[in-house]
Amino acid sequence: MAESWFFLGNFEPNFRPLVVIELAKGTKEETIEWFTKRIVDKKANGGEYSMIFCAQLLVKPLVTENGDENIYLVGASHLRLLLGAETVGLVKECNDNSMRTFTYSSRKTFKYFADDNHNFLTMAECQYIIKHELENLRAKDEKMIPGYPQAKLYPGKSIVRRLLTSGILVQIFPLHDREELKKLRHSWYGRVKVGYQPLDEIRCYFGETIALYFGFLEYFTFALIPMAVIGIPYYVFAWEDYDKYVMFATFNLLWSTVILEVWKRICAIMTYRWGTLLMKRQFEEPRPGFHGVLGINPVTGREEPVYSSIKRQIRIYLVSLPFVCLCLYFSLYVMMIYFDLEQWALDYHEENESNFSSLMLFVPSIIYAVVIEIMNRIYRYAAEFLTSWENHRLESSYQNHLILKVLVFNFLNCFASLFYIAFVLFDMKLLRQSLATLLITSQILNQFAESLLPYWLQKRHKKRIKKRMCSLKADTGLSLVEQVNLEKEMGTYFGTFDDYLELFLQFGYVSLFSCVYPLAAVFAVLNNMTEIYSDALKMCRVYKRPFAEPTANIGVWQLAFETMSVISVVTNCILIGMSPQVNALFPDSKMDLILTVALVEHLLLAIKFIMAFVIPDKPRHIQIKLAKLEFESLEALKQQ
Amino acid sequence: MAESWFFLGNFEPNFRPLVVIELAKGTKEETIEWFTKRIVDKKANGGEYSMIFCAQLLVKPLVTENGDENIYLVGASHLRLLLGAETVGLVKECNDNSMRTFTYSSRKTFKYFADDNHNFLTMAECQYIIKHELENLRAKDEKMIPGYPQAKLYPGKSIVRRLLTSGILVQIFPLHDREELKKLRHSWYGRVKVGYQPLDEIRCYFGETIALYFGFLEYFTFALIPMAVIGIPYYVFAWEDYDKYVMFATFNLLWSTVILEVWKRICAIMTYRWGTLLMKRQFEEPRPGFHGVLGINPVTGREEPVYSSIKRQIRIYLVSLPFVCLCLYFSLYVMMIYFDLEQWALDYHEENESNFSSLMLFVPSIIYAVVIEIMNRIYRYAAEFLTSWENHRLESSYQNHLILKVLVFNFLNCFASLFYIAFVLFDMKLLRQSLATLLITSQILNQFAESLLPYWLQKRHKKRIKKRMCSLKADTGLSLVEQVNLEKEMGTYFGTFDDYLELFLQFGYVSLFSCVYPLAAVFAVLNNMTEIYSDALKMCRVYKRPFAEPTANIGVWQLAFETMSVISVVTNCILIGMSPQVNALFPDSKMDLILTVALVEHLLLAIKFIMAFVIPDKPRHIQIKLAKLEFESLEALKQQ
């Protein structure tokens, strides 16, 4: 049967598999035939809203050792990929070094373009194009998926999404390129070296979102180094002069504003080079999990599920919000238990002074750190469930609501105890100790849970599969079948959310109480150095290759980091105002002290906002290039 | 001679004069011939960067009684105007009620379009188009203006701008339409009525910028009414309970945030209806006063004057900034003199208690208010000179620097004395009295200086001209010649800057110290009611008709008002904290009081920011319409 539709596409002798489609075992023949025909068939021209009913890609079944035919490899001809690049609006560099939206008709003006150069599009771009084409494959006049009457379709519904939600399609993932990956691994973390990460290569292999995360991680680590360097002598010489702490805190606050503003500029430079800064946002389709009654979308005029915005608001404000508040309350309750434990440990230590009892002093903090991690993870699942139940139409709105929920809880969970110690107990020594324990424990836990553990599991699993393979035939490098079988069992990388969250909390530890614990920056730098390596390992070895996702900035995280830096101005000013040394400066009047602190705080906030306003978000040369493009498109419009 | 070039254009029997060009008396014949030929000649097709070398408009000399030929009337054929509407990117309503960019080829799809309907474009739009065409008339290969070797030209230089800077062209202004104006005047301020202004008619006659100002003025007045209504009983019953003041201040602060956010939405609704929300920003040419050495513009690649950005920065930071600081210092110095005078008046009143001496108490405040007005006006000239000397390339950047300079000075000038009284002298009674005097004096002065005085001057002047005219011929309504002669002598309206500034300062008086003087809102409302009428009078009777200027929002003023509302949170919290009644609540500890005030202040600020973030800038139905347009253009791109 396979051959019957195999030749419907433009047969290309050097078929290069790019994307793997795994169907459920025992999927009906007619469904497979219909689906693959749709993927392979030539496009009809035009049509209402130029919907895609056929993708004109290449498909090949993967024959596994036990003869199952449930895995298919998808590829595409070079020409098809170029046309797809135009559809998704890829931006590439031209011969005159400017960046332009790629169109097939103007292909000759692009740098490195040659009709026989199949590397003009990177493999990640090709896979992104194929994913885009597959996801936009729409039902024409089918009422249901052939063979599955319960899987309803309506004109314009994305076929792949319906197949996914009805469980016929297990997964779609892009294939690794063993050669490329080896090269990338080598230059990324293969040898111990001091220097930048190969961000452009990472971008070519994993796409812009992931490259931007690694770029931010690297930038953030470098940006923390000045703080760490200034922080070390405070520890070494045990400086306790508060004028020095004031200096450190002030530097810290202004520095954190500067680094966040400068990041925007660096990000603009990078994404301009990668072309995503110029890429037009495509119209967003409903996210896969979205459901509702069939109606007319007011924007597109197409038939699609519609869900009342009022119902969603009710779910958000009457269920999600109270639930989040309950969780926050529970988190505070756990915190109070921690403080009881802490007190108990102190009493125990005072009763029987021994090495063991002094070790016991650290136990409550460590337990609390572990509990926090566990609570964070449980809450995360609840938040995902709730946000998905809120039934957001767009993936971006889903993400924003999820991030907001998770951020608030994580913030409270991680920092409430520190706020309590600082502003209720007024115990600076305990604050410093808790901060250190929390920071270090959470860093170690994260590194372990995030990459080392999965890596180890993955290695064990790989060995098992390899053993089974070896029993079948001689080991002559990994064949395609073996590679696909290995990769389909690997874990799925769910995006950069957790990685950014980790950095966000770290930024909180470093900046919120910077004036009592300058060493935090040092630990953060050390952690991030290894984080780069463990995250790289995670991407290359542990997880399935993720689809590339073009992006122009780090999105809502920029706002989150900026908010944190505003909060840290307030906390640091209060901490400094509370210190005995500063209090000694105002022996007569507490009032003058507080007024001075409030004045300084307002000044710092004002400076922050003015700095954020004055520093342009994009460097001048990028601004000029963007203006040039805009001018040219205006001129072109006039010429018409 | 006139006929020789008059027939070069498409002669149209019903030539409708739209724009008046006044040349200097005694302008050389060859210059006039060259210039008018350029205006009338048919467009050559295309050309590098599609520059316009000929405008294809209609020109007619105006023969005045003394035979001078220095005034020309410019018009255009209906077809030419429609093509011009496409060039400037006008957005009009379609038959399906959506707003779309007008193109000549799709003209049939637009509402009210008919080949013989000459009212499809409003007169203001026609005049804007002609202004745009004239300003974009560019030199081809002339090295200078014929007849004036000192007036250099280079390829691509705007001819009209060079004629203006070299003094050959005295002015260009659009003609009034007596009939339309009469109708507009009648519905606008002709009868005393309660109700909205005819904003759409104002927009049709004066353009979007001015209509938006009047829209904002009206909106702002309505928005102040709740504050005024709540403020009245405080005066009537002489409420001195501070819990009531606290309530008023809190309401005021949140209310001011709400009204500023809601304005953005109303503004979006209006400008969507007017089409300017969708209008693409055109590429900005250098402003007329900009000068520099000839170089290549990196954006356009065209030859144009280039001025080093570093030189400009030096001028800004080493000359303008110190000058502004000096002026601010001087303003504070004047303020201290005022306080000496105030003290002197008080002493005098105490020595000889009489009606005269109690009247004398108000004299210093009145003098100070007058001096402030004078200083503001002098500083304004200095600021304009300095900003123009800074040599900004773009009109927008010039405007921003000017507004910033003027705002800072005006803010200090108007409010420094109040801050001094409130936070240094702690004299709430004096604060209330000064606030009232300053507010009322400045309002009366403004109303007088802005419209009544010019109106009276204008009327006197008009009578004189009319008398002269009548001596020539019988009075049979105003002929075109008379109309042009009248209008060219009228004052020029320099934009909405002063009007917004006045509102901005009024907003300051109302919100900064709202908790000590709730009556301020009442005065503001009363002032604005008459302000609407006097500003309307000013626009219709006193000034030349201004060119319409499409705009989508009130620009930098939105930011200015928002900043003011943030500052007023701080001042109001401090004022409430200082009140004896609130102090009485914390009898033991001043510290608790200050901490509470600081906490409340931070909470209010946080609520403000969250509210600004949560309230969408555009109403949902506008968002959907915008999304629909964007979606359609994406689909159209794909169809290609």
Side-chain angles (χ1 to χ4, degrees):
Chain A
M1 185 221 59
E3 282 73 32
S4 67
W5 43 263
F6 183 60
F7 286 96
L8 284 172
N10 308 0
F11 180 76
E12 204 160 308
N14 43 2
F15 169 83
R16 187 193 184 198
L18 289 166
V19 171
V20 178
I21 294 181
E22 187 186 357
L23 297 175
K25 279 192 179 156
T27 303
K28 293 187 183 148
E29 282 282 296
E30 58 171 323
T31 316
I32 298 179
E33 201 160 343
W34 167 76
F35 183 43
T36 45
K37 189 165 168 3
R38 271 312 186 71
I39 297 177
V40 173
D41 264 5
K42 276 214 176 69
K43 279 188 176 194
N45 221 344
E48 193 196 3
Y49 292 112
S50 73
M51 269 195 226
I52 305 164
F53 303 121
C54 307
Q56 207 174 348
L57 302 172
L58 306 173
V59 166
K60 211 174 174 177
L62 187 78
V63 185
T64 52
E65 66 265 36
N66 41 20
D68 278 354
E69 252 195 26
N70 66 329
I71 293 177
Y72 294 85
L73 301 174
V74 183
S77 67
H78 186 50
L79 174 69
R80 180 70 193 82
L81 288 173
L82 290 177
L83 291 172
E86 185 175 334
T87 314
V88 299
L90 277 198
V91 173
K92 288 284 210 175
E93 194 176 0
C94 281
N95 284 325
D96 61 349
N97 295 325
S98 66
M99 305 296 298
R100 272 162 222 279
T101 307
F102 179 81
T103 59
Y104 186 71
S105 55
S106 67
R107 63 192 181 282
K108 303 275 185 206
T109 61
F110 286 84
K111 219 172 188 171
Y112 309 123
F113 183 87
D115 279 323
D116 56 347
N117 176 12
H118 289 212
N119 292 323
F120 175 69
L121 299 173
T122 66
M123 189 171 171
E125 280 168 345
C126 294
Q127 290 168 335
Y128 173 70
I129 292 166
I130 289 187
K131 177 193 168 217
H132 179 268
E133 296 291 341
L134 286 177
E135 281 192 341
N136 277 288
L137 207 55
R138 287 170 193 291
K140 212 170 175 179
D141 35 24
E142 294 93 339
K143 289 269 169 287
M144 42 141 219
I145 289 175
Y148 294 85
Q150 78 284 7
K152 296 260 185 323
L153 284 175
Y154 51 87
K157 170 73 186 175
S158 161
I159 291 173
V160 166
R161 293 195 169 188
R162 173 57 78 234
L163 286 171
L164 273 171
T165 48
S166 56
I168 302 165
L169 190 59
V170 178
Q171 59 177 347
I172 302 184
F173 64 89
L175 265 183
H176 268 298
D177 180 329
R178 295 269 139 192
E179 281 307 302
E180 280 297 315
L181 185 61
K182 207 169 167 187
K183 264 191 248 163
L184 176 65
R185 277 213 311 262
H186 182 72
S187 66
W188 198 357
Y189 64 92
R191 59 221 145 107
V192 178
K193 58 157 175 81
V194 182
Y196 300 109
Q197 297 172 85
L199 287 178
D200 287 340
E201 291 167 43
I202 298 172
R203 176 243 162 185
C204 284
Y205 197 84
F206 287 112
E208 288 79 12
T209 306
I210 286 163
L212 212 53
Y213 164 70
F214 281 100
F216 183 68
L217 177 58
E218 180 177 280
Y219 169 79
F220 189 62
T221 310
F222 275 111
L224 283 177
I225 287 178
M227 288 195 208
V229 169
I230 299 178
I232 289 174
Y234 285 80
Y235 179 75
V236 175
F237 304 117
W239 282 346
E240 289 288 329
D241 319 4
Y242 260 76
D243 51 344
K244 291 213 180 70
Y245 274 136
V246 170
M247 266 173 50
F248 183 71
T250 314
F251 169 76
N252 214 336
L253 297 176
L254 297 182
W255 183 241
S256 66
T257 310
V258 171
I259 61 176
L260 290 176
E261 287 300 313
V262 171
W263 165 249
K264 282 192 215 154
R265 296 165 66 92
I266 290 181
C267 181
I269 295 176
M270 277 202 288
T271 52
Y272 176 81
R273 196 173 60 223
W274 296 342
T276 46
L277 188 64
L278 295 170
M279 225 165 140
K280 290 242 167 54
R281 211 167 48 84
Q282 301 281 317
F283 177 76
E284 261 188 285
E285 297 294 329
R287 59 186 298 268
F290 179 69
H291 56 86
V293 288
L294 263 194
I296 301 291
N297 180 322
V299 174
T300 59
R302 284 184 200 158
E303 223 176 51
E304 75 168 35
V306 171
Y307 188 75
S308 141
S309 145
I310 294 159
K311 271 193 203 161
R312 187 179 304 125
Q313 300 287 337
I314 290 176
R315 287 187 173 187
I316 292 175
Y317 290 108
L318 296 189
V319 180
S320 294
L321 191 65
F323 175 80
V324 171
C325 292
L326 210 74
C327 287
L328 295 180
Y329 176 77
F330 181 71
S331 156
L332 290 178
Y333 189 78
V334 169
M335 186 187 82
M336 297 317 291
I337 294 177
Y338 156 66
F339 282 111
D340 288 347
L341 269 181
E342 187 84 41
Q343 193 57 45
W344 174 84
L346 251 167
D347 293 347
Y348 181 84
H349 177 64
E350 266 166 28
E351 268 171 40
N352 27 353
E353 297 247 4
S354 68
N355 275 340
F356 172 73
S357 72
S358 64
L359 258 180
M360 278 294 283
L361 277 179
F362 285 94
V363 170
S365 298
I366 293 173
I367 292 178
Y368 185 53
V370 173
V371 169
I372 281 181
E373 273 302 312
I374 294 171
M375 273 165 55
N376 276 344
R377 272 156 210 276
I378 294 175
Y379 176 81
R380 177 70 186 280
Y381 284 108
E384 272 171 15
F385 172 78
L386 269 181
T387 317
S388 140
W389 177 72
E390 282 163 19
N391 201 12
H392 294 275
R393 189 181 161 272
L394 298 182
E395 184 64 31
S396 59
S397 133
Y398 170 85
Q399 285 294 339
N400 287 341
H401 276 84
L402 180 62
I403 289 180
L404 188 66
K405 281 196 191 70
V406 176
L407 270 193
V408 170
F409 186 76
N410 274 270
F411 183 85
L412 196 84
N413 224 348
C414 290
F415 300 120
S417 67
L418 299 175
F419 275 95
Y420 185 80
I421 295 172
F423 306 124
V424 180
L425 301 182
F426 299 115
D427 187 340
M428 290 305 127
K429 225 179 129 219
L430 182 59
L431 176 62
R432 201 173 303 175
Q433 187 197 312
S434 304
L435 190 58
T437 325
L438 273 176
L439 178 63
I440 296 167
T441 324
S442 75
Q443 287 186 348
I444 292 173
L445 269 180
N446 261 317
Q447 296 264 2
F448 180 73
E450 215 180 67
S451 24
L452 298 182
L453 183 67
Y455 180 61
W456 178 72
L457 288 175
Q458 162 70 17
K459 249 206 159 139
R460 246 184 40 166
H461 174 77
K462 212 163 170 179
K463 259 194 198 136
R464 221 175 44 224
I465 289 204
K466 258 204 176 156
K467 222 179 265 169
R468 213 175 46 186
M469 299 272 176
C470 285
S471 67
L472 284 171
K473 59 173 182 172
D475 194 338
T476 51
L478 248 61
S479 74
L480 189 63
V481 177
E482 287 167 333
Q483 190 192 339
V484 170
N485 272 317
L486 265 180
E487 288 183 13
K488 86 180 165 66
E489 300 297 332
M490 284 167 121
T492 307
Y493 180 67
F494 285 111
T496 49
F497 185 100
D498 286 301
D499 299 315
Y500 278 116
L501 183 63
E502 205 185 321
L503 279 185
F504 172 75
L505 296 177
Q506 185 190 69
F507 184 59
Y509 285 123
V510 172
S511 62
L512 282 179
F513 307 96
S514 63
C515 63
V516 295
Y517 191 55
L519 216 56
V522 179
F523 284 109
V525 169
L526 289 178
N527 176 68
N528 290 358
M529 303 261 229
T530 57
E531 179 89 20
I532 292 178
Y533 286 92
S534 67
D535 279 351
L537 184 77
K538 182 173 82 179
M539 291 311 307
C540 295
R541 292 277 199 165
V542 179
Y543 288 121
K544 269 193 210 81
R545 182 177 189 170
F547 276 109
E549 206 55 62
T551 182
N553 51 53
I554 61 172
V556 72
W557 291 105
Q558 183 82 37
L559 188 69
F561 276 80
E562 279 165 11
T563 310
M564 180 70 95
S565 100
V566 168
I567 297 175
S568 66
V569 170
V570 181
T571 52
N572 277 293
C573 284
I574 302 177
L575 281 179
I576 289 174
M578 275 168 20
S579 71
Q581 287 87 341
V582 173
N583 270 268
L585 293 177
F586 297 87
D588 307 323
S589 149
K590 283 261 178 258
M591 227 179 86
D592 286 354
L593 165 69
I594 300 177
L595 288 179
T596 313
V597 169
L599 189 71
V600 169
E601 187 223 328
H602 281 82
L603 273 181
L604 280 173
L605 283 178
I607 292 174
K608 267 182 86 75
F609 281 108
I610 292 173
M611 262 166 57
F613 191 77
V614 167
I615 301 177
D617 284 357
K618 290 180 190 111
R620 216 178 128 70
H621 68 277
I622 300 284
Q623 282 176 21
I624 288 179
K625 280 171 183 161
L626 293 180
K628 202 170 167 178
L629 278 175
E630 201 186 335
F631 173 74
E632 279 172 15
S633 79
L634 274 175
E635 287 296 316
L637 219 72
K638 274 187 202 159
Q639 291 274 0
Q640 283 186 350
Chain B
M1 184 222 59
E3 282 75 31
S4 67
W5 44 263
F6 183 60
F7 286 98
L8 283 172
N10 308 0
F11 179 77
E12 201 161 308
N14 44 2
F15 171 82
R16 186 192 186 198
L18 289 166
V19 172
V20 177
I21 293 181
E22 185 186 356
L23 297 175
K25 281 195 177 153
T27 303
K28 293 188 183 148
E29 282 282 297
E30 57 171 325
T31 315
I32 296 179
E33 199 159 344
W34 168 77
F35 183 43
T36 45
K37 187 165 171 356
R38 271 310 186 74
I39 296 177
V40 173
D41 265 4
K42 275 215 176 69
K43 278 187 176 194
N45 220 344
E48 192 198 2
Y49 292 113
S50 71
M51 269 196 227
I52 305 164
F53 303 122
C54 307
Q56 207 172 347
L57 303 171
L58 306 171
V59 166
K60 211 174 174 178
L62 187 80
V63 185
T64 53
E65 67 266 36
N66 42 20
D68 276 355
E69 251 196 27
N70 66 328
I71 292 176
Y72 294 86
L73 301 173
V74 184
S77 68
H78 185 51
L79 174 69
R80 181 68 192 85
L81 288 173
L82 290 178
L83 291 172
E86 185 175 335
T87 314
V88 299
L90 277 199
V91 173
K92 288 282 206 178
E93 195 177 358
C94 281
N95 283 325
D96 61 348
N97 295 325
S98 65
M99 306 295 297
R100 274 162 221 279
T101 306
F102 179 81
T103 58
Y104 186 71
S105 55
S106 67
R107 63 192 180 281
K108 302 276 186 206
T109 62
F110 286 85
K111 217 171 187 171
Y112 309 123
F113 183 88
D115 278 326
D116 55 347
N117 177 10
H118 289 211
N119 292 323
F120 175 68
L121 297 173
T122 66
M123 189 174 175
E125 280 168 345
C126 294
Q127 289 167 335
Y128 173 70
I129 291 166
I130 289 186
K131 177 194 169 217
H132 180 267
E133 295 292 339
L134 286 177
E135 280 192 342
N136 277 287
L137 207 56
R138 288 169 192 292
K140 210 169 176 179
D141 34 25
E142 296 94 340
K143 290 270 168 289
M144 42 144 221
I145 289 174
Y148 294 85
Q150 79 284 7
K152 295 265 187 316
L153 285 175
Y154 51 87
K157 170 73 187 174
S158 160
I159 290 173
V160 166
R161 295 196 168 188
R162 171 58 76 237
L163 284 171
L164 273 170
T165 47
S166 55
I168 302 165
L169 190 60
V170 177
Q171 59 177 345
I172 302 184
F173 65 89
L175 265 182
H176 267 298
D177 180 328
R178 296 268 138 193
E179 281 306 303
E180 281 296 316
L181 186 61
K182 209 170 167 186
K183 263 190 249 164
L184 176 67
R185 275 214 312 262
H186 181 70
S187 65
W188 198 358
Y189 64 91
R191 56 217 149 108
V192 178
K193 54 153 179 85
V194 181
Y196 300 110
Q197 298 172 83
L199 286 179
D200 287 340
E201 291 167 42
I202 299 172
R203 176 242 161 185
C204 283
Y205 197 85
F206 286 113
E208 288 79 13
T209 305
I210 286 164
L212 211 52
Y213 163 68
F214 280 100
F216 182 68
L217 177 57
E218 182 177 279
Y219 170 78
F220 189 61
T221 311
F222 276 110
L224 283 177
I225 287 177
M227 287 197 210
V229 169
I230 299 179
I232 288 172
Y234 284 82
Y235 179 75
V236 175
F237 304 116
W239 282 346
E240 289 288 330
D241 320 3
Y242 260 77
D243 52 343
K244 293 214 180 67
Y245 275 135
V246 169
M247 267 172 51
F248 182 71
T250 313
F251 169 76
N252 213 335
L253 297 176
L254 298 182
W255 183 241
S256 65
T257 310
V258 171
I259 61 175
L260 290 176
E261 287 301 312
V262 172
W263 165 249
K264 282 192 215 155
R265 296 165 67 93
I266 291 181
C267 181
I269 295 176
M270 280 203 286
T271 52
Y272 176 80
R273 195 174 60 225
W274 297 342
T276 47
L277 189 63
L278 294 170
M279 225 167 140
K280 292 245 164 53
R281 210 167 50 83
Q282 302 280 318
F283 178 76
E284 261 189 286
E285 297 294 329
R287 58 187 299 269
F290 179 69
H291 56 85
V293 288
L294 263 194
I296 301 291
N297 180 321
V299 174
T300 59
R302 284 184 198 158
E303 224 175 50
E304 74 168 38
V306 171
Y307 187 75
S308 141
S309 143
I310 294 159
K311 270 193 202 162
R312 186 179 306 126
Q313 300 288 337
I314 290 176
R315 285 186 176 186
I316 292 175
Y317 289 107
L318 296 188
V319 180
S320 295
L321 190 65
F323 175 79
V324 171
C325 291
L326 210 73
C327 288
L328 296 179
Y329 176 78
F330 180 71
S331 156
L332 291 178
Y333 188 77
V334 169
M335 185 187 84
M336 297 317 292
I337 293 176
Y338 155 66
F339 283 110
D340 287 348
L341 268 180
E342 186 84 40
Q343 193 55 47
W344 174 84
L346 251 167
D347 292 348
Y348 180 84
H349 177 64
E350 266 167 29
E351 268 172 39
N352 26 353
E353 296 247 4
S354 68
N355 276 341
F356 173 74
S357 73
S358 65
L359 259 179
M360 278 294 283
L361 276 180
F362 285 93
V363 170
S365 296
I366 294 172
I367 292 179
Y368 185 53
V370 174
V371 168
I372 280 181
E373 274 301 314
I374 295 172
M375 272 166 51
N376 276 345
R377 274 157 209 278
I378 294 175
Y379 177 81
R380 177 71 187 279
Y381 285 109
E384 271 171 16
F385 173 78
L386 269 182
T387 317
S388 139
W389 177 72
E390 281 162 20
N391 201 14
H392 294 274
R393 187 180 164 273
L394 299 182
E395 184 64 30
S396 58
S397 133
Y398 169 86
Q399 285 294 341
N400 286 342
H401 276 85
L402 180 61
I403 290 180
L404 187 67
K405 281 196 191 69
V406 176
L407 270 193
V408 170
F409 186 75
N410 274 270
F411 183 85
L412 196 84
N413 224 350
C414 290
F415 300 119
S417 67
L418 300 175
F419 275 95
Y420 185 79
I421 294 171
F423 305 125
V424 179
L425 301 182
F426 299 115
D427 189 340
M428 291 303 129
K429 227 181 125 216
L430 182 60
L431 176 61
R432 200 173 305 175
Q433 186 197 313
S434 304
L435 190 58
T437 326
L438 273 176
L439 178 63
I440 297 166
T441 325
S442 76
Q443 286 186 348
I444 293 173
L445 269 180
N446 261 317
Q447 296 264 6
F448 182 73
E450 217 181 65
S451 26
L452 299 181
L453 183 67
Y455 180 61
W456 179 71
L457 287 174
Q458 163 69 17
K459 248 204 161 141
R460 246 184 41 167
H461 175 77
K462 212 163 169 177
K463 260 196 195 130
R464 223 177 43 225
I465 289 205
K466 260 207 174 153
K467 219 178 269 168
R468 215 176 44 188
M469 296 273 176
C470 285
S471 67
L472 284 170
K473 59 173 181 173
D475 195 338
T476 51
L478 247 66
S479 76
L480 189 64
V481 177
E482 286 168 335
Q483 189 193 342
V484 170
N485 271 318
L486 264 180
E487 287 184 14
K488 84 179 165 70
E489 300 297 333
M490 284 168 121
T492 307
Y493 180 68
F494 286 113
T496 49
F497 184 101
D498 285 302
D499 298 314
Y500 277 117
L501 184 62
E502 205 184 322
L503 280 184
F504 172 74
L505 295 176
Q506 187 190 67
F507 184 58
Y509 285 121
V510 172
S511 62
L512 281 179
F513 306 97
S514 64
C515 63
V516 295
Y517 192 55
L519 217 57
V522 179
F523 284 109
V525 168
L526 289 178
N527 176 68
N528 290 357
M529 304 259 229
T530 56
E531 178 89 21
I532 291 178
Y533 286 93
S534 67
D535 279 352
L537 185 77
K538 183 173 83 177
M539 291 311 308
C540 295
R541 291 278 200 167
V542 179
Y543 288 121
K544 269 193 210 79
R545 182 176 190 173
F547 276 109
E549 205 56 63
T551 182
N553 50 52
I554 61 171
V556 71
W557 291 105
Q558 184 80 37
L559 188 70
F561 275 80
E562 279 165 10
T563 309
M564 181 71 95
S565 98
V566 168
I567 296 174
S568 66
V569 170
V570 181
T571 52
N572 277 294
C573 284
I574 301 177
L575 282 178
I576 289 174
M578 274 168 22
S579 71
Q581 287 87 339
V582 172
N583 270 268
L585 293 177
F586 297 88
D588 307 322
S589 148
K590 283 259 177 262
M591 228 179 87
D592 285 353
L593 165 68
I594 300 177
L595 288 179
T596 312
V597 169
L599 190 70
V600 169
E601 187 223 329
H602 281 82
L603 272 182
L604 280 174
L605 283 177
I607 293 174
K608 267 182 87 76
F609 281 109
I610 292 174
M611 262 164 57
F613 190 76
V614 167
I615 300 176
D617 285 358
K618 290 178 190 116
R620 216 181 129 69
H621 68 275
I622 300 283
Q623 280 175 23
I624 287 178
K625 280 171 183 162
L626 292 181
K628 202 170 167 178
L629 278 175
E630 201 186 334
F631 173 74
E632 278 172 15
S633 79
L634 273 176
E635 286 297 315
L637 220 71
K638 273 187 202 157
Q639 292 274 1
Q640 284 186 349

